[in-house]
Amino acid sequence: RQGTCIVTGASSGLGLATAKALAETGKWHIIMACRDFLKAERAAKSSGIAKENYTIMHLDLASLDSVRQFVDTFRRSGRPLDVLVCNAAVYFPTAKEPTFTAEGFELSVGTNHLGHFLLSRLLLEDMKKSDYPSKRLIIVGSITGNTNTLAGNVPPKANLGDLRGLSGGLNGLNSSSMIDGGVFDGAKAYKDSKVCNMLTMQEFHRRFHEETGIAFASLYPGCIATTGLFREHIPLFRLLFPPFQKYITKGFVSELEAGKRLAQVVSDPSLTKSGVYWSWNKDSASFQNQLSEEASDAEKARKVWEVSEKLVGLA
Ligand code: NDP
């Protein structure tokens, strides 16, 4: 049978390119989990994804009610769940003040990490029930959260500290809006959220791989300098960033190529290993990459998991 794959944030950038790459094989039905239904519909149509290969379902990761609603809607569709791709993200590099999710969590960590954390915890139950031979749960990571890389060393660096802001609810009222308890910094909040994504993937692996056989993976698809992720950045940055990545760092990758890479992690028979952070070299060959010390800290992963469970109402 066709596999069913949920992709969050499939209305643009990497998510859309991945949906397209998977749909083209004819082996996948894509559930495009998006906050803007019309935008998703237009995106699917204009990128030529065949109608029978996708369904759009509303999901706003910045609202835990919406996450629960999405899970209900998906369950009512009667489809099995074979692969889940947590791809959506927001990035506010120039914001002076934090903004917040429906529950009052700082918006980048609230969307990128906490929304996905609840989503993947709930949908794990659905994946357990699927009889698909190669089930996978993928959370898109990033080099910027990895301080063992050049890109990850551009300040402000990711650092979760002792999680005092996260434990306090990340609401900027009785706690800081930053995980480490520091002053709000939009670029750092994004990087911190990506560290949480990579830690969550590993904690899933430790807790559930043996029992469920699901492969848990993260990846850095390369710098896709042209996506909407940089829409909040200053115009000069948006002008210079793509050529800088193309010609100086040579880390640039097109949306098309990045989508093929993520599609590999979804369905390539050779990428079944669990607990892995995938990257690609300049010849576009995948390899198992090393995470930074913080992004591979098992104790921190456990703490992030436990605090996040409380915040999203699972504990
Ligand atoms: P885009 O901004 O193009 O895509 C992000 C997607 O997330 C959009 O579809 C957006 O929806 C969706 N989204 C944002 N907020 C929500 C929400 N509250 N609920 C549901 N969906 C939401 O960026 P990219 O394609 O670049 O980013 C995709 C992933 O790739 C992210 O996880 C990012 O961290 C990662 N990444 C990107 C890199 C890059 O260089 N671009 C490098 C490394 C990793 P909408 O269309 O409605 O805005």
Side-chain angles (χ1 to χ4, degrees):
R1 65 170 171 87
Q2 244 188 348
T4 302
C5 175
I6 295 178
V7 180
T8 69
S11 51
S12 75
L14 178 60
L16 179 62
T18 305
K20 184 173 161 61
L22 289 170
E24 273 171 356
T25 65
K27 293 181 186 155
W28 294 92
H29 188 86
I30 316 301
I31 307 291
M32 299 173 67
C34 299
R35 62 177 168 178
D36 183 336
F37 194 94
L38 277 178
K39 182 177 177 186
E41 185 62 54
R42 275 197 295 268
K45 280 218 173 87
S46 64
S47 62
I49 306 179
K51 207 164 77 241
E52 62 276 16
N53 290 336
Y54 72 91
T55 304
I56 299 167
M57 286 186 197
H58 184 258
L59 168 66
D60 181 358
L61 289 158
S63 154
L64 299 180
D65 279 347
S66 172
V67 171
R68 291 185 180 277
Q69 186 79 54
F70 171 83
V71 172
D72 279 352
T73 309
F74 175 74
R75 286 179 182 161
R76 274 187 279 110
S77 78
R79 287 184 181 274
L81 179 58
D82 307 320
V83 175
L84 168 63
V85 178
C86 297
N87 159 79
V90 287
Y91 175 46
F92 305 109
T94 59
K96 301 272 182 289
E97 296 291 335
T99 42
F100 298 93
T101 67
E103 285 76 19
F105 306 127
E106 185 281 315
L107 193 53
S108 23
V109 173
T111 305
N112 308 356
H113 168 57
L114 292 169
H116 277 135
F117 181 78
L118 178 61
L119 181 74
S120 47
R121 285 291 302 276
L122 296 175
L123 288 175
L124 183 69
E125 297 312 311
D126 302 75
M127 294 185 75
K128 281 183 189 169
K129 292 183 196 140
S130 146
D131 61 358
Y132 202 72
S134 184
K135 300 185 272 189
R136 305 181 193 184
L137 196 163
I138 300 156
I139 309 180
V140 178
S142 176
I143 197 172
T144 54
N146 271 312
T147 50
N148 60 340
T149 65
L150 190 63
N153 268 304
V154 176
K157 291 190 214 178
N159 177 11
L160 308 188
D162 63 3
L163 308 183
R164 68 180 64 179
L166 189 68
S167 308
L170 217 61
N171 54 27
L173 290 172
N174 42 15
S175 78
S176 160
S177 59
M178 298 293 290
I179 293 179
D180 66 358
V183 178
F184 176 73
D185 180 318
K188 180 173 184 298
Y190 170 80
K191 294 178 189 179
D192 289 350
S193 77
K194 290 280 124 186
V195 173
C196 290
N197 285 155
M198 294 180 279
L199 290 173
T200 301
M201 177 279 289
Q202 295 165 83
E203 191 65 14
F204 259 118
H205 168 71
R206 281 188 284 269
R207 289 179 187 237
F208 295 106
H209 175 63
E210 249 182 59
E211 173 202 329
T212 64
I214 296 169
F216 299 96
S218 188
L219 68 148
Y220 173 63
C223 182
I224 330 158
T226 50
T227 71
L229 196 67
F230 307 101
R231 64 172 83 85
E232 306 281 339
H233 227 302
I234 56 168
L236 187 65
F237 177 91
R238 282 188 273 127
L239 181 71
L240 296 179
F241 192 52
F244 173 74
Q245 291 294 345
K246 249 182 221 161
Y247 305 114
I248 313 288
T249 69
K250 305 220 161 59
F252 179 87
V253 60
S254 68
E255 292 180 29
L256 186 73
E257 176 59 24
K260 284 187 192 156
R261 291 177 178 182
L262 179 44
Q264 276 175 32
V265 183
V266 170
S267 72
D268 191 308
S270 64
L271 302 192
T272 54
K273 199 164 169 196
S274 183
V276 172
Y277 170 64
W278 296 106
S279 295
W280 284 259
N281 64 26
K282 60 179 186 327
D283 303 321
S284 272
S286 57
F287 67 97
Q288 208 176 312
N289 206 348
Q290 287 290 311
L291 287 162
S292 70
E293 201 178 319
E294 181 169 51
S296 49
D297 181 336
E299 183 53 24
K300 208 163 253 189
R302 188 181 58 78
K303 279 196 196 141
V304 166
W305 181 278
E306 287 171 0
V307 175
S308 303
E309 273 187 329
K310 287 199 186 110
L311 294 180
V312 303
L314 286 173

